Amino acid sequence: MSAPPRGPSGDTFSLRAVVLLIAAGLMAFTAAALVAIYSDPQTEGTYGTNAYSYSAIGHRAWTEILQDLEVPVLLSRNDSAAKAYDGGGLLILAQPYSSTDAIESMELMFDTDRVLLVLPRWSGFPGYENRTWIKLLRELEVKDVEKILHVVDEDASIVRSEETPDWRRIAWDSAPSLDGAQLIKSDTITPIVHSDAGVLLGEYRVGDTTVWVLSDPDIINNSGIDEGDNAVFAVAMVDALLQGGGAAVFDETSHGFTLSPDLWKALLSFPLNLAVLQGLFAAAILVWAAAGRFGAPLPPRPRLKAGKQVLIANTASLFEYAGNLADILKRYHETCLHDLGRHIHVPRDRRGAKLTDWLDRTGRARGTSESYSQVYDAVATAINGPSIAVPALLRAALRLHRWKQEMIHGHRADPNGLRPGAGAGSQDRGRTGRRP
């Protein structure tokens, strides 16, 4: 197996890479934390029936009016009943969803003292121009509204009156402004605001819990709270139930907005899970880079040696990579003839067959191991053969080189210089330019 990659200094990562990696992780974690603190992706751009919504069916205006009147308001996303009970406050379930999870979360409202339940009536779809506004409004089916009411009163029913009701009020004088109201029919409810058609606001006693139920949300939602005395009516309900000065706890878990106080669960929820994934990814890279390999590491490659031999070998490798060895051999043949002409003074009038014949005769006089004709045939075959083979080209070049050296120095010489034998004459000892 290969050794792990290492930086210029021999370390797995350079100092600069480690600093950049740590900086990127810290920036990602900081960004995720800031998003969690200053911007909640769950509530941004919502258009539903909740306290975060600016749409017609939301009730953000109701919470802001209460805050302007210095009524403590808490938008709760976990343990809402416990928060209302411990602080002597009022638990408000405003327009909860009729889903199974929402119904189950509503059962916890009986763990506190006072509850205000506002039944839903509308659902909507946002527009493309502004996703926080409602473009299409749809009235919920009566059975969906009754599913929520039956958590408090299993025998109650919902009616929708088309007439302008003549309200009868028991608790206070301000009358709601409402046409075509959605009302409750029940034998067990204690009316607070009602008409002949049914009860708009009534009271239930479930164990030790006082539950007020407002049947129509058009009194408190953003599109209806500014009609007539609806804002006064909405604030009066909260004042009547609070009394002790606690906080109005708006439960948003029934709208799907949950936020766990458990640190580990929060770290695995968006957006903090992005920072966790970033950290795990960085740790995985460090472990992968620093982990040992199976087997002994490969020895380091030797450093490039200086000298002519290394230079020649590298140059030959480049020529081989270029793939034009035939042209190189042809030029080498021409160079050898030119070099030979400078040493033994080849007559200028020798060309073609005449040159070949002259070189053959001169070679025989000098005792070369093979004639120029033989060498030339080998070069021509290597260059013009059906397929260019590197070994054939190299052998032809070697024969050409040896022939040239023997023509210049005699047949006893090698490429590195004259090495005379025991019977060598005076002209064999390093003298060049010997004529036939």
Side-chain angles (χ1 to χ4, degrees):
M1 300 293 290
S2 61
R6 297 185 177 275
S9 62
D11 298 329
T12 301
F13 282 112
S14 65
L15 178 61
R16 179 181 179 185
V18 173
V19 171
L20 290 176
L21 188 62
I22 295 175
L26 290 176
M27 290 176 62
F29 183 82
T30 303
L34 291 176
V35 168
I37 295 172
Y38 296 105
S39 177
D40 190 346
Q42 282 190 333
T43 61
E44 291 292 329
T46 180
Y47 57 87
T49 55
N50 55 74
Y52 299 105
S53 173
Y54 287 96
S55 71
I57 58 177
H59 46 270
R60 178 66 176 261
W62 187 19
T63 62
E64 292 182 350
I65 290 172
L66 292 173
Q67 290 174 333
D68 290 342
L69 295 175
E70 298 183 354
V71 176
V73 173
L74 175 62
L75 305 186
S76 174
R77 295 165 64 176
N78 59 71
D79 299 331
S80 302
K83 294 174 182 176
Y85 180 81
D86 294 339
L90 168 65
L91 176 61
I92 301 178
L93 296 169
Q95 308 182 82
Y97 294 156
S98 59
S99 63
T100 302
D101 292 340
I103 295 296
E104 291 179 356
S105 68
M106 288 177 58
E107 299 286 351
L108 300 175
M109 67 180 173
F110 302 119
D111 294 338
T112 188
D113 294 330
R114 294 178 298 278
V115 179
L116 173 58
L117 172 61
V118 181
L119 299 178
R121 184 174 181 177
W122 310 101
S123 67
F125 299 93
Y128 292 104
E129 299 82 4
N130 190 337
R131 299 289 295 179
T132 62
W133 289 3
I134 292 295
K135 184 175 183 179
L136 180 62
L137 193 65
R138 182 177 68 87
E139 192 172 29
L140 297 176
E141 295 185 12
V142 170
K143 63 179 182 179
D144 292 332
V145 181
E146 289 178 343
K147 285 173 61 177
I148 298 172
L149 179 59
H150 289 169
V151 176
V152 181
D153 185 354
E154 294 182 353
D155 298 323
S157 60
I158 293 294
V159 295
R160 287 170 178 163
S161 173
E162 298 297 333
E163 301 177 356
T164 301
D166 181 16
W167 301 116
R168 293 191 287 276
R169 301 173 299 282
I170 297 175
W172 53 83
D173 294 334
S174 58
S177 177
L178 196 63
D179 294 330
Q182 175 178 275
L183 303 172
I184 301 173
K185 283 286 189 179
S186 173
D187 295 332
T188 59
I189 193 172
T190 301
I192 299 175
V193 178
H194 61 103
S195 69
D196 294 335
V199 177
L200 175 67
L201 176 64
E203 178 179 306
Y204 290 96
R205 291 288 300 179
V206 183
D208 295 331
T209 304
T210 300
V211 181
W212 281 18
V213 180
L214 179 65
S215 62
D216 200 314
D218 286 350
I219 295 176
I220 56 92
N221 61 27
N222 296 331
S223 63
I225 197 169
D226 60 344
E227 299 291 336
D229 291 336
N230 286 349
V232 177
F233 187 89
V235 173
M237 287 190 299
V238 176
D239 285 341
L241 286 171
L242 273 178
Q243 293 182 350
V249 181
F250 284 81
D251 176 66
E252 293 303 324
T253 61
S254 60
H255 298 121
F257 300 120
T258 58
L259 186 63
S260 174
D262 185 0
L263 175 61
W264 294 107
K265 190 173 182 180
L267 287 175
L268 297 178
S269 302
F270 185 83
L272 289 181
N273 57 356
L274 298 180
V276 174
L277 289 176
Q278 171 76 14
L280 292 177
F281 181 70
I285 292 178
L286 289 174
V287 171
W288 173 76
R293 303 295 194 265
F294 291 103
L298 294 177
R301 296 181 61 183
R303 294 185 177 181
L304 186 63
K305 298 181 179 179
K308 295 181 179 180
Q309 185 176 358
V310 175
L311 179 60
I312 293 172
N314 290 338
T315 305
S317 299
L318 292 175
F319 284 152
E320 181 180 359
Y321 178 78
N324 57 351
L325 294 180
D327 292 338
I328 295 175
L329 178 58
K330 186 183 299 184
R331 294 185 180 182
Y332 180 62
H333 173 253
E334 297 172 356
T335 302
C336 286
L337 292 181
H338 180 74
D339 189 30
L340 187 62
R342 290 189 301 105
H343 283 81
I344 63 175
H345 307 293
V346 178
R348 295 181 179 273
D349 59 345
R350 300 295 195 272
R351 294 289 185 275
K354 292 182 179 181
L355 177 62
T356 301
D357 182 66
W358 188 87
L359 290 174
D360 286 344
R361 287 187 289 106
T362 304
R364 286 193 297 270
R366 289 176 174 263
T368 57
S369 57
E370 56 183 339
S371 65
Y372 171 71
S373 299
Q374 294 173 325
V375 174
Y376 178 78
D377 290 341
V379 172
T381 301
I383 294 176
N384 302 318
S387 61
I388 303 300
V390 174
L393 292 170
L394 295 178
R395 285 195 297 268
L398 181 60
R399 292 177 64 179
L400 182 59
H401 173 73
R402 288 176 177 172
W403 172 81
K404 185 194 76 168
Q405 292 297 100
E406 290 178 0
M407 288 287 288
I408 296 174
H409 301 292
H411 71 282
R412 299 180 185 276
D414 64 15
N416 295 321
L418 181 64
R419 293 181 182 175
S426 60
Q427 290 184 335
D428 292 330
R429 293 187 176 89
R431 297 182 61 186
T432 62
R434 186 175 57 176
R435 292 185 177 273

